[in-house]
Amino acid sequence: MARLPDPRASAAFLATLRPAAWVVYAKPPFSRPAQVLEYLGRYTYRVAISNDRLLSLTDGIVRCRWKAYADGDRVKVLALPAAACLRRFLLHVVPHGFVRIHPFGLLAHRGRTAKLARCRVLLATAPPPAPAPPESVAARILRVTGVDLTRCPVCRAGRLRVVGRLPPGALPVPVVDTS
């Protein structure tokens, strides 16, 4: 089992650090709310690089456009080896189990429903409408495309009905032509 160091040794070590002239850098705060939104908007809901910024991939070199904000918002072209471009892209992929934006306060996951209901009471607003029941795939395809998946694909008059389900990965029974 690991033991904590002797408190006297820790105090002696910290005493050697105190007389050092520490230089602390703190980034200047944002000047206005619009600047905060502009900064967050570049990183929050976008992917690392969009397709319209990719210009070409030739001989293993990826060329893409980028905006140099420090240089008067000039658009420049960056050429990188494909492996380096992929490495930079993957730096923006959030690891499994992490989220890019974590809600907090009233919108935090724990107790969100109760907190928002309390806010509605205090603000004397109407409760939100009940969510619509989920739409089946067949109903959605009928609404969007006009194709009725429940109709027989051959005669278009009869209705199809489920007589069995195949587990994922199972091969279907071969169709035998009885004509």
Side-chain angles (χ1 to χ4, degrees):
M1 182 165 95
R3 297 181 58 102
L4 293 174
D6 179 26
R8 291 178 298 231
S10 297
F13 174 70
L14 290 174
T16 63
L17 298 176
R18 283 192 189 98
W22 292 94
V23 177
V24 177
Y25 170 75
K27 187 175 180 178
F30 291 105
S31 63
R32 61 192 191 288
Q35 189 178 5
V36 175
L37 289 176
E38 179 184 334
Y39 174 81
L40 291 175
R42 288 198 298 261
Y43 303 104
T44 306
Y45 291 107
R46 294 184 184 171
V47 293
I49 186 167
S50 57
N51 289 338
D52 64 319
R53 289 180 45 206
L54 295 172
L55 300 175
S56 68
L57 168 64
T58 52
D59 299 326
I61 302 294
V62 176
R63 287 181 175 72
C64 61
R65 277 194 313 266
W66 66 286
K67 188 181 278 190
Y69 294 100
D71 193 13
D73 293 350
R74 287 186 48 212
V75 175
K76 298 183 177 184
V77 175
L78 175 66
L80 287 171
C85 182
L86 188 58
R87 183 189 66 78
R88 285 189 182 190
F89 178 80
L90 291 176
L91 287 174
H92 295 85
V93 175
V94 180
H96 180 71
F98 286 81
V99 291
R100 196 177 292 256
I101 298 176
H102 188 80
F104 66 96
L106 293 175
L107 297 179
H109 296 299
R110 185 175 179 171
R112 173 176 43 205
T113 305
K115 289 175 190 172
L116 290 177
R118 178 73 176 139
C119 288
R120 287 189 187 94
V121 168
L122 293 173
L123 295 171
T125 60
E135 188 177 23
S136 70
V137 172
R140 182 175 297 169
I141 290 178
L142 178 61
R143 180 176 49 82
V144 172
T145 66
V147 175
D148 189 359
L149 294 180
T150 62
R151 291 279 179 195
C152 173
V154 177
C155 69
R156 301 271 185 230
R159 290 263 181 216
L160 295 178
R161 62 185 178 96
V162 177
V163 293
R165 295 189 186 272
L166 295 174
L171 295 176
V173 179
V175 176
V176 179
D177 186 11
T178 59
S179 57

